[in-house]
DNA sequence: CTGAAAGCGCTTACAG
DNA sequence: CTGAAAGCGCTTACAG
């Protein structure tokens, strides 16, 4: 036999029609048990596999999900944020468990997201994961919605569609950080990260942090806040600028672990001891966090559960089922940096 | 218009035949420039995208590569080796650059690798990446070869087919580690990692290490070697067992960074100072390496180049071009652990 | 340069 | 329970 076996080859050897082969292979109950067995045996012998291009074309679906990882254009090309890499791992597993393939694509935030995937029948739905400026994404979400594309999104809220978002309870996570500082009597707090609507996740973390401090009669001074995107470099420079401006604080909440790690580097350089002089808390619990010096106290986002929820919710959307907005509970992981 | 636009829709609006639309969209030179333009304009207006299932079915190819990440069954389900995660990132980028999609799959080492991909016309070729027992893989490589599946493999050599492998010059990397120790007069060396043909990469690293030591009249005592797979846990336990057996050494070469990080934990616990009492060198240069305490000296494998080479070589194989065996040069990254 | 037609390998309504 | 047939949306040899 040349090339791959087709259902016609099996039909030939089994002495039945190709339709029956197709039915048998799909375990249709319309097929005699004995026939089914014969077909399966021959399929196995011929190392037959259904041609997905053909079956997808026929059924107009794909059993494939697409993951679009869009990146902050300012971040270093060669380094992917480890948090998203971990998410990618868990999403891959979750897809496999559900019998779906995963098409992975890295996009610059500016590109035409859905173009290459859903529209070309390559994927039944899209998972969006990114760390750019969320304001840029809103018009794209609108396009996706208009075109009735099935998608779920990590972190970013989509207008009036809370069901399309899976994210960590960032507000609650921020509160955890504040509680932790208060429990350790560190009330002179700094915050590093972009607390604006360009980074709604960071903003929520900050809000929770601030509100919990306020509930304990502690104010956070605006001068003790510095902007940073989620990179080590950015956290380093933001912290340096605070130090250079002679801003004092004894506790620092960073909007992400990468920022926190950069902050610790800047603090060390300025001979400020962590945690003695400044207690540092990050967010994410990336793998690196437990290995830095000192090990980083952080707010964990469970990437395993997050990936599963993204996949589960997307599959529900695809099947037309109802989906709830999904908030994952964060957990404080105390380590030596605080 | 309901549903997606097809080439027939465009043909209708453009007042040409569907064949011409197809030709125009594929930039066939057999199409009048004006016609081509008209077709493109209408395609854009209708938000038309070629149905890949249909075109793949017709052309019997897929413009898709599959990445099979097969895992050591003993490793923790929830944690993917960061080195492979980094590779995944660079492979994804390299595919995008070449206009190929990437289908990602995690496989247990026991599964039927090629089954779901090449056979079902989903991918034109496979990239194999893994960290299990290489002996288990040889029969699978044979199957893949028999079926004339196009594939490339990271690290593992395939019988008589050096062109199918891309890997780091592990032997040379091992030599670098030995040179480094010798330059610092650390000649009482230990090695941690599975130096057997089950892990040919680790074995090569060890061989290079040993040979370079020998070239400097330094022997490595077999008692100063301990087995470990590439996890922090495993490195930790292997090092503990050396310490428990009262084995002395002032330099430790770990077959991977994860092992090295576990080793450092064990050394610290035993109040053995790194690097004062024991200098430690790892392998990989994963992101964590520069953040651990002390920062880890390591042999870098350039994952960006590695991913590119895997993709490039695979595409050459698919196009039937000649491929050379590819050895990537390792680089010593000196840090404070040695 | 263009069009009519075949065919890639399936799934499934229709008829029995 | 089974078969003959249509059709998913393309690409491309063939004929003009």
């Amino acid at each position: 036999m040349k090339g791959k076996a087709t259902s016609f080859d099996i039909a030939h050897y089994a002495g039945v029609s190709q339709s029956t082969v197709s039915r048998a292979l799909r375990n249709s109950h319309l097929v005699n048990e004995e026939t089914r067995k014969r077909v399966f045996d021959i399929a196995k012998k011929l190392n037959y596999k259904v041609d997905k291009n053909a079956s997808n074309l026929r059924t107009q679906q794909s059993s494939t999900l697409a993951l679009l990882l869009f990146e902050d254009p300012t971040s270093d090309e060669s380094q992917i944020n480890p948090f998203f890499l971990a998410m990618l791992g868990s999403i891959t597993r979750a897809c496999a468990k559900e019998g779906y393939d995963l098409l992975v694509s890295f996009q610059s935030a500016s590109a035409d997201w859905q173009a290459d995937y859903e529209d070309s029948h390559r994927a039944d739905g899209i998972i969006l994961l990114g760390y750019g400026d969320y304001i840029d994404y809103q018009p794209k979400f609108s396009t996706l919605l208009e075109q009735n594309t099935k998608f779920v999104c990590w972190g970013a809220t989509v207008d009036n569609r809370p069901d399309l978002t899976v994210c960590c309870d960032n507000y609650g996570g921020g509160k955890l950080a504040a509680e932790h500082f208060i429990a350790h009597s560190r009330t002179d707090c700094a915050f590093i990260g972009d607390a604006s609507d360009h980074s709604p996740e960071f903003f929520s973390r900050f809000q929770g942090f601030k509100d919990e401090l306020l509930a304990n009669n502690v104010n956070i001074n605006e001068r003790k806040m510095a902007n940073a995107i989620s990179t080590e470099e950015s956290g380093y420079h933001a912290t340096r600028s605070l130090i250079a401006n002679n801003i004092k604080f004894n506790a620092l909440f960073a909007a992400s672990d990468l920022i926190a790690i950069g902050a610790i580097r800047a603090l060390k350089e300025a001979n400020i001891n962590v945690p003695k002089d400044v207690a540092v808390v990050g967010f994410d619990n990336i793998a690196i966090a437990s290995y830095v010096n000192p090990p980083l106290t952080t707010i964990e986002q469970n990437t395993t559960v997050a990936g599963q929820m993204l996949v589960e919710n997307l599959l529900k959307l695809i099947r037309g089922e109802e989906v709830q907005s999904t908030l994952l509970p964060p957990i404080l992981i105390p380590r030596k940096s605080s």
Side-chain angles (χ1 to χ4, degrees), chain A residues 95-209:
Chain A
C95 281
K97 214 170 61 185
E98 300 283 351
Y100 273 73
D101 282 325
L102 215 222
L103 220 38
V104 175
S105 164
F106 286 58
Q107 303 270 317
S108 75
S110 58
D112 191 10
W113 292 350
Q114 90 297 342
D116 302 323
Y117 292 93
E118 221 261 348
D119 270 0
S120 27
H121 304 268
R122 301 282 273 153
D124 297 333
I126 305 181
I127 297 172
L128 301 171
L129 210 59
Y131 44 110
D133 184 327
Y134 279 103
I135 286 185
D136 294 348
Y137 304 150
Q138 293 304 331
K140 314 215 170 186
F141 291 152
S142 303
T143 312
L144 254 25
L145 282 171
E146 264 168 41
Q147 303 192 338
N148 198 26
T149 299
K150 307 298 180 193
F151 70 100
V152 292
C153 190
W154 173 258
T157 30
V158 180
D159 270 11
N160 298 324
R161 290 296 301 274
D163 54 322
L164 301 184
T165 302
V166 172
C167 72
C168 174
D169 177 4
N170 291 299
Y171 183 84
K175 288 180 73 163
L176 287 178
E179 276 171 21
H180 179 74
F181 285 146
I182 284 172
H184 291 75
S185 308
R186 296 290 182 115
T187 53
D188 190 6
C189 297
F191 175 85
I192 297 191
D194 180 17
S196 77
D197 49 2
H198 292 266
S199 305
E201 294 194 87
F202 287 6
F203 189 61
S204 295
R205 290 168 197 179
F206 172 70
Q207 284 296 332
F209 184 64

Side-chain angles (χ1 to χ4, degrees), chain A residues 52 56 59-67 90-104 122-127 150 310-321:
Chain A
K52 293 239 172 135
N56 289 343
T59 58
Q60 298 290 74
Q61 48 140 32
S62 70
S63 299
T64 298
L65 302 182
L67 172 62
S90 79
I91 289 170
T92 306
R93 283 175 207 282
C95 281
K97 214 170 61 185
E98 300 283 351
Y100 273 73
D101 282 325
L102 215 222
L103 220 38
V104 175
R122 301 282 273 153
D124 297 333
I126 305 181
I127 297 172
K150 307 298 180 193
L310 283 165
V311 171
E312 271 176 36
N313 283 5
L314 180 53
L315 291 181
K316 279 185 189 168
L317 283 170
I318 290 169
R319 291 190 295 252
E321 293 168 26

